[in-house]
Amino acid sequence: MRKSLASASLLALLSAGGAFAQECADPVEITWSTIAGFYTDAMANFVKSFEDDNCAKVTVVNIDNSQLYNKQVIEMVGQTGAYDVVTLETAEKAEFAENGFILPMTDFFADKQELLNDVSPTLRAMTVEYKGDVWGLPYYTYTAGMFIRQDLIDDAGEQAAFKAKYGYDLADPTTWEQHRDIAEFFTRKAGETLKGEVLTKDFYGVGLMAGPFPEIQDELSAPLWGMGSDWLTAEGTVPVDDVEKVLGEYVEELKFAPPAALTVTYDGVMNQMKDCQIAMTHGFFLDQWPNAVKTEDNCPGAKVAAIEAPGKKAYVGGFLLAVSSSSAQPDMAMKFVAHIGGYEIQKQFAELGGASTLTSVLTDPAFATSERRATNGQYATLNMIFDSMSGFSSNLFKTPFGAKIYNTMQIPLQAAAAGQITVREAAEQLAADVAKICGGPCPIAN
Amino acid sequence: MSAAPESAGLAGSPPPGKSGMSDRWFSILLIAPAMLITLIFAILPLIQALDVTFRMGDLSRGKIGDYVGLTNYRIVFADNQFWQAGWVTLKFTVVAVGLEMILGVAIAFLLHGATFAKGITRSLLILPLATSAAVTGLFWRYLYDTQFGVLNWVLGLLGLPEPNWLGDYTIALWSVVLFDIWQWTPFVALIALAGLQALPKEPFEAAELDGASKWRVLTTLTFPLLKPVLFLVLVLRTIDCVRLYDAVAVLTRGGPGTATETMTFYLYRTGLKLFRMDYASTMAVFFLYVMLVAAVFALTPLLKQFTDRAKEA
Amino acid sequence: MQRKTSIPLEVLRYGAIFLVLGFFVFPIFWMVLTSFKPESAIMVSPPRFLFTPTLDNYYHAIVDKNFFFYIKNTLIISVISTAIVVFIGSLAAYSFARYNVGDGHILFFILSTKMMPAIAVILPYFLIFRDVGKTAVGKALHLGLDQHGALIVSYVMFNLPFAIWLLVSFFQDIPRSLEHSARLDGLSRLQVLRKVTFPLAAPGIAVTAVFTLIFCWNEFLFAYILTRKLASTVTVGVESFFTLQGILWGPVAAAATISVAPMLVFVLVMQRYMVRGLTFGAVRG
């Protein structure tokens, strides 16, 4: 279905741009390095309209998410100019900016303020701005909330049992204590009942991403930021006690998660949810909504909801498009950034089920209808999260060592989750690792 | 490389030379291309790496920086994680190579005595070898998965405990070992089998006439005769295991925590994630040094065998 | 060596062989099975053995992801690398085997380069090829980044030690007397090499070629660092199935099956030859 939508819009674009395409004899070539996957494939289709309008030739290089960072740094350090437009994780922007790998786009956006202002302010503060400059546009957001099996929460029998056990009403969790209780409550063995029906396989209260991937820190960002703390203090050090506290609570919840929690990342959790194995997630990327909602097809009576994480804070992620400073065609590259991050493309992108970054798209009533629920059903929650987190930013995104820290911090965290070291040791090791990476307290820009 | 004009080579060492080049020049010419490639693409990068070990080298901050003396060596040697990774590598190598050798030789004996369906057996055995760890490792991750994997499903049906193969830090390394055994035991088995089949018949017939026990034949004849070929395989497997990267990268990424972080994976993390080329190069140089020292002991008997035979005749 | 056989022992033997084969074949069987599964039958518990087979995964891999592009690159790179390795390696190995060049020291040096961890040299390689690619020679030979030549040179470098090692023992097994008499018949040294020695060593050279090809075909790290798109190989291509929506298991299985298939066919064809070759080289090690 999506595929036919994509090709239909592509056809429309092609016929519109056809006249230009013929006149363009000597196109300007630029290359965009980005993340492999369906949404990027869709974006690649949109590249076509840019090529036709601007007499350009855009090559899209798809790279596995886990390799994107190092691959891009290598090309930046080597100053190969191979990638004109790069794709950066939120935590990587400061490093690329500080080291001169990417070009500031403040001047470029001087006459495009409406576009810049259309990027949700919360997202803009964290993904776009650094040291007073603008460094590109985010084109995709994986900002976190959480997914929950609403049918379980709404079940009268379960509600009664929950109240009897915990002394308060079963509802969407608003604190991490409630989150823990719900996780515990719904953890059942095969043979026990769920919603009055006998389970044929084990059921777990929560799906966690404690595998060897940089996602456990995304999960932990939710309770850590929620308690008013951060990965780095204003002095640039890790608040060991706070990390110990949230990590300790997290490790407690692992008891209520499938054993695979120690080996998987978000796709594993989504598979568990789609296979009717878990009741909810921890802080989780809401861009996975089209994936999560498939649970309703697979599990009889299931209803999935995207809600705000307890404490109303969670990881804010966006893939930033920025222009490499070794690009031979910076002007064209910048135009391309504005094109992909711009309203036209973002709107079409949203129609395919993409998690757009623009307020005008996210609040477009056309996406709030029940027909669009399977593709854009998380938009309302996303808007709520951006409102709740308005004015917030993490120091992790303000240090030029953010990328290295981000790509290392899962190691002690996961070691504690697996029981290899204690929670306290993990927090201390994280502090030591971070100090080693920064060579002392990490510099924090304002 | 037909640089040597053929007409000039009419004479050589056996018949006393007329014109043309000497054996010495001919032999040097033969190794020249291999030497050239090795010199350029092994020595040049090595010299670069060696140079970086004495300098500041945080690549993500731009260029290779100033000379800092032996600071990098001090830091690397004081780094617990470095020694930890070395220890993991050692454990992995000893267990994986040990088991692969034992199983490989056992399988070779098993197949050697078989008369039925030999070709198909050997062909099937080669399968794991022909695949890439980067790809089949992915499917092993799937097999090992506690929620969706076949392995635990079967164990569950049999009422056996269902281990968290890659998530339990006490067994994750052995799960990687199991994968390596799967991929490389056939290599050992096939070479050992070839060795078995090539054994000369006479000594065995003589032993049988003497009424020697099977065990005695095995220990006094079969294994001594197989020793050279087994030793070659042992050295090859050891080198590959010590440099293990792909399997770890795809199965565990060094996790959980650092439980399966081998030397090369730690090198990768330091060099290509943290971009501390100074530390990474220092580790690599030290690693190479240790390997070379070990190689002098391991390779000397092999080399002696080569050179002795080359001097024959 | 036929020994007296007892029935129970033979049952035990074939039972054991069956188990061993099951262990080595099952993961690949599972991969191939997955490639024919619809998405709804892959990540499900309990694992599903019965399903309606589909070719969608192959369609996705071949048409949507153009996977044959990676196969083509891999084919070009590994075949050329293997040819060069076998050619250069044979010359050098012959020299070591017959003339004892360097009295073992040069051989040790070449072998020792195999011990170098690839990760340590990958960035120097990257910079070398970046610069070489800008020169006239580099352009002519496609030695730049994301060009086939760069990977070929790397693979030649990293497979040469192993190849020479194997080949030396093969050459030493060829009786010198044959070469001697050929020389006395008036053949030049190179003619002897071409007409007598190499044909005799063919099984050994075949074994070396098979292993080299397998190693090149399955290499990941160099392919990943030194290429971007145009020269990417299958191991890198598989990564494009690791998407933001998770790993596309069905298409990955299809792609993996497609990329393993040529190696399997090749190995099966060479199998007889290989065993002869291995036997040949293994007599004395």
Side-chain angles (χ1 to χ4, degrees):
Chain A
M1 243 248 297
R2 284 196 197 123
K3 220 172 255 174
S4 59
L5 260 175
S7 46
S9 43
L10 182 66
L11 269 179
L13 289 170
L14 278 176
S15 47
F20 286 96
Q22 284 167 359
E23 288 162 26
C24 173
D26 189 20
V28 174
E29 293 189 22
I30 58 172
T31 302
W32 173 27
S33 61
T34 188
I35 293 154
F38 160 68
Y39 292 125
T40 347
D41 291 351
M43 294 304 252
N45 289 338
F46 303 146
V47 158
K48 191 79 187 115
S49 64
F50 178 78
E51 292 181 334
D52 295 341
D53 292 351
N54 294 282
C55 188
K57 171 87 188 70
V58 183
T59 306
V60 182
V61 179
N62 293 305
I63 303 173
D64 169 29
N65 193 12
S66 70
Q67 311 279 16
L68 188 66
Y69 167 71
N70 26 347
K71 189 78 179 140
Q72 286 182 156
V73 172
I74 292 169
E75 301 282 0
M76 296 298 120
V77 171
Q79 296 184 316
T80 58
Y83 303 147
D84 299 281
V85 179
V86 292
T87 305
L88 305 178
E89 210 282 329
T90 316
E92 293 163 8
K93 164 206 62 191
E95 174 178 306
F96 274 61
E98 189 74 35
N99 296 336
F101 294 163
I102 53 174
L103 297 171
M105 291 176 66
T106 318
D107 294 344
F108 176 82
F109 279 112
D111 60 345
K112 299 179 184 61
Q113 285 300 320
E114 335 76 277
L115 174 53
L116 212 49
N117 290 336
D118 197 9
V119 177
S120 159
T122 311
L123 200 57
R124 198 169 67 220
M126 285 186 249
T127 59
V128 173
E129 290 157 6
Y130 177 69
K131 286 195 171 171
D133 269 316
V134 171
W135 297 89
L137 279 182
Y139 81 99
Y140 181 87
T141 180
Y142 45 95
T143 294
M146 61 175 277
F147 294 128
I148 191 162
R149 282 277 300 272
Q150 201 62 50
D151 56 312
L152 299 181
I153 301 291
D154 294 344
D155 185 80
E158 298 293 354
Q159 282 183 340
F162 186 90
K163 178 122 193 193
K165 185 169 180 190
Y166 295 96
Y168 65 96
D169 287 327
L170 176 61
D172 290 348
T174 52
T175 66
W176 288 102
E177 288 73 30
Q178 290 173 7
H179 189 269
R180 194 214 80 96
D181 289 347
I182 295 171
E184 181 185 51
F185 179 69
F186 281 111
T187 302
R188 319 259 165 106
K189 287 272 167 232
E192 296 178 359
T193 58
L194 181 71
K195 285 204 297 180
E197 281 170 41
V198 178
L199 288 163
T200 55
K201 54 191 174 197
D202 292 351
F203 193 79
Y204 298 89
V206 64
L208 298 174
M209 327 186 253
F213 303 87
E215 263 84 49
I216 182 172
Q217 55 264 51
D218 295 356
E219 287 184 316
L220 286 169
S221 293
L224 188 67
W225 294 349
M227 70 185 272
S229 185
D230 197 354
W231 292 109
L232 292 173
T233 63
E235 289 76 43
T237 56
V238 173
V240 175
D241 293 338
D242 295 349
V243 171
E244 183 188 5
K245 178 175 181 295
V246 295
L247 183 58
E249 289 168 3
Y250 182 88
V251 171
E252 279 297 299
E253 278 205 13
L254 269 167
K255 287 188 225 149
F256 316 124
L262 290 170
T263 56
V264 298
T265 175
Y266 62 91
D267 60 330
V269 173
M270 279 296 94
N271 288 333
Q272 291 159 13
M273 188 158 224
K274 285 188 283 185
D275 195 45
C276 330
Q277 297 184 12
I278 56 170
M280 63 180 174
T281 66
H282 199 271
F284 203 85
F285 313 120
L286 290 188
D287 68 297
Q288 294 297 313
W289 170 259
N291 227 342
V293 84
K294 286 183 193 155
T295 309
E296 297 177 359
D297 302 333
N298 299 345
C299 311
K303 185 132 178 62
V304 176
I307 59 173
E308 278 192 89
K312 294 187 179 293
K313 293 248 181 350
Y315 195 76
V316 171
F319 285 121
L320 173 77
L321 291 181
V323 173
S324 158
S325 49
S326 47
S327 167
Q329 303 290 348
D331 295 340
M332 188 57 87
M334 286 184 190
K335 265 194 220 169
F336 181 74
V337 169
H339 174 78
I340 294 292
Y343 178 75
E344 272 307 304
I345 295 302
Q346 284 290 316
K347 177 137 196 257
Q348 292 170 29
F349 176 42
E351 277 162 8
L352 297 171
S356 174
T357 51
L358 296 182
T359 312
S360 58
V361 175
L362 289 173
T363 56
D364 189 335
F367 293 120
T369 62
S370 56
E371 296 89 72
R372 305 248 23 136
R373 179 171 174 269
T375 45
N376 307 84
Q378 85 280 35
Y379 278 16
T381 311
L382 258 183
N383 289 323
M384 272 155 53
I385 294 169
F386 287 144
D387 283 346
S388 305
M389 292 187 70
S390 166
F392 177 84
S393 185
S394 169
N395 287 336
L396 184 62
F397 306 145
K398 295 181 189 168
T399 172
F401 294 96
K404 290 177 167 190
I405 295 172
Y406 184 75
N407 280 307
T408 307
M409 60 200 295
Q410 73 270 17
I411 292 170
L413 299 176
Q414 200 219 354
Q420 193 183 10
I421 55 177
T422 67
V423 168
R424 181 71 196 179
E425 284 166 346
E428 281 168 355
Q429 194 195 320
L430 178 66
D433 286 352
V434 168
K436 193 175 154 196
I437 288 170
C438 297
C442 301
I444 311 280
N446 289 307
Chain B
M1 279 286 128
S2 54
E6 297 197 10
S7 56
L10 254 174
S13 65
K18 287 194 229 161
S19 62
M21 71 177 71
S22 66
D23 271 354
R24 180 149 190 81
W25 279 107
F26 182 65
S27 64
I28 288 173
L29 209 65
L30 288 178
I31 62 160
M35 277 308 280
L36 201 70
I37 288 183
T38 311
L39 280 176
I40 295 177
F41 288 97
I43 296 303
L44 217 64
L46 187 65
I47 290 173
Q48 270 188 18
L50 205 60
D51 179 51
V52 176
T53 66
F54 300 110
R55 302 169 74 164
M56 161 81 193
D58 182 349
L59 273 196
S60 66
R61 310 282 282 164
K63 300 268 129 202
I64 300 292
D66 298 332
Y67 284 91
V68 292
L70 291 173
T71 311
N72 293 329
Y73 287 87
R74 252 198 311 276
I75 290 172
V76 164
F77 291 152
D79 179 3
N80 270 335
Q81 191 52 47
F82 173 69
W83 298 112
Q84 181 62 31
W87 174 233
V88 170
T89 307
L90 192 69
K91 275 196 291 189
F92 179 89
T93 306
V94 169
V95 176
V97 175
L99 288 175
E100 281 162 24
M101 292 301 291
I102 293 168
L103 289 172
V105 172
I107 291 171
F109 273 107
L110 200 62
L111 296 181
H112 184 50
T115 45
F116 176 71
K118 272 164 118 171
I120 183 84
T121 314
R122 264 200 307 257
S123 308
L124 288 175
L125 204 55
I126 288 178
L127 284 177
L129 262 183
T131 65
S132 149
V135 176
T136 32
L138 201 62
F139 286 88
W140 271 78
R141 213 165 88 195
Y142 181 18
L143 291 177
Y144 276 146
D145 193 280
T146 58
Q147 309 312 117
F148 303 102
V150 177
L151 212 46
N152 278 6
W153 174 69
V154 171
L155 292 175
L157 287 184
L158 299 175
L160 295 169
E162 302 176 31
N164 195 348
W165 297 94
L166 300 172
D168 182 338
Y169 74 94
T170 57
I171 60 169
L173 185 65
W174 312 125
S175 303
V176 183
V177 166
L178 184 63
F179 171 74
D180 202 70
I181 287 176
W182 173 77
Q183 192 165 34
W184 289 102
T185 303
F187 178 73
V188 180
L190 286 172
I191 293 187
L193 180 62
L196 273 179
Q197 290 174 339
L199 291 178
K201 293 229 165 37
E202 302 80 33
F204 290 91
E205 284 161 5
E208 202 162 355
L209 283 179
D210 291 350
S213 72
K214 268 189 180 174
W215 177 250
R216 224 182 123 63
V217 172
L218 211 60
T219 49
T220 56
L221 271 178
T222 318
F223 276 117
L225 282 169
L226 271 183
K227 215 176 88 186
V229 63
L230 291 183
F231 190 70
L232 179 73
V233 179
L234 180 77
V235 171
L236 283 175
R237 282 311 303 142
T238 306
I239 294 178
D240 278 348
C241 277
V242 170
R243 296 163 68 235
L244 177 83
Y245 169 77
D246 285 10
V248 171
V250 66
L251 284 173
T252 64
R253 294 162 177 252
T258 51
T260 58
E261 191 161 86
T262 58
M263 197 60 131
T264 42
F265 197 81
Y266 187 51
L267 259 173
Y268 159 80
R269 188 152 74 79
T270 310
L272 291 186
K273 279 284 182 202
L274 298 180
F275 286 97
R276 290 307 303 245
M277 281 321 285
D278 41 6
Y279 300 158
S281 302
T282 309
M283 289 178 214
V285 165
F286 179 72
F287 179 87
L288 188 61
Y289 171 76
V290 173
M291 290 287 283
L292 284 180
V293 172
V296 169
F297 290 103
L299 294 183
T300 304
L302 272 181
L303 283 171
K304 193 160 155 30
Q305 216 178 351
F306 284 145
T307 49
D308 284 352
R309 294 187 66 192
K311 280 179 203 152
E312 274 170 24
Chain C
M1 269 180 288
Q2 286 295 68
R3 294 188 177 273
K4 298 146 279 178
T5 53
S6 63
I7 301 289
L9 215 68
E10 286 305 284
V11 169
L12 208 67
R13 177 193 296 279
Y14 286 105
I17 291 180
F18 185 76
L19 279 180
V20 165
L21 285 183
F23 171 70
F24 288 109
V25 171
F26 184 78
I28 294 177
F29 164 75
W30 193 246
M31 179 178 96
V32 176
L33 198 69
T34 305
S35 73
F36 292 106
K37 283 183 178 180
E39 196 194 332
S40 60
I42 296 178
M43 280 297 167
V44 287
S45 153
R48 213 166 283 172
F49 287 84
L50 293 176
F51 53 90
T52 320
T54 169
L55 288 175
D56 286 358
N57 298 323
Y58 286 90
Y59 184 85
H60 183 100
I62 295 168
V63 179
D64 295 352
K65 286 284 199 292
N66 196 11
F67 202 72
F68 279 121
F69 172 76
Y70 300 107
I71 298 269
K72 192 187 83 189
N73 280 337
T74 315
L75 205 61
I76 294 173
I77 290 166
S78 7
V79 168
I80 297 181
S81 306
T82 303
I84 298 177
V85 164
V86 168
F87 181 69
I88 295 182
S90 297
L91 294 184
Y94 180 77
S95 179
F96 288 124
R98 278 292 180 272
Y99 299 102
N100 194 24
V101 176
D103 196 23
H105 295 297
I106 297 181
L107 187 57
F108 179 81
F109 163 71
I110 289 187
L111 296 186
S112 67
T113 59
K114 189 179 160 55
M115 321 235 172
M116 188 133 61
I119 289 156
V121 292
I122 190 74
L123 282 182
Y125 269 55
F126 180 86
L127 300 175
I128 289 174
F129 287 119
R130 178 196 63 181
D131 298 339
V132 170
K134 289 175 189 154
T135 64
V137 180
K139 276 188 183 131
L141 293 174
H142 299 279
L143 287 177
L145 294 171
D146 202 20
Q147 292 188 316
H148 298 93
L151 267 193
I152 291 173
V153 170
S154 310
Y155 288 176
V156 167
M157 170 60 222
F158 268 81
N159 284 293
L160 208 48
F162 173 73
I164 291 177
W165 199 336
L166 274 185
L167 286 165
V168 169
S169 53
F170 290 127
F171 283 122
Q172 288 189 330
D173 284 334
I174 297 167
R176 277 166 195 250
S177 50
L178 289 176
E179 292 176 8
H180 260 281
S181 43
R183 287 301 303 274
L184 293 173
D185 289 347
L187 293 184
S188 75
R189 269 182 294 230
L190 271 181
Q191 281 170 323
V192 169
L193 212 56
R194 216 176 57 212
K195 292 183 176 157
V196 179
T197 318
F198 280 5
L200 279 173
I205 293 175
V207 173
T208 313
V210 170
F211 280 119
T212 309
L213 192 75
I214 289 177
F215 293 149
C216 292
W217 191 275
N218 293 332
E219 202 282 336
F220 172 70
L221 192 67
F222 278 85
Y224 151 63
I225 299 285
L226 298 181
T227 72
R228 297 174 191 126
K229 190 183 177 103
L230 299 178
S232 285
T233 62
V234 287
T235 45
V236 179
V238 165
E239 298 247 313
S240 65
F241 296 89
F242 301 177
T243 75
L244 270 183
Q245 303 306 98
I247 296 174
L248 307 173
W249 285 98
V252 169
T257 306
I258 296 170
S259 63
V260 165
M263 278 302 97
L264 293 188
V265 172
F266 176 69
V267 166
L268 293 188
V269 168
M270 298 292 279
Q271 194 253 120
R272 232 163 248 284
Y273 216 31
M274 274 175 74
V275 172
R276 245 183 80 211
L278 281 174
T279 316
F280 191 43
V283 187
R284 291 210 278 167

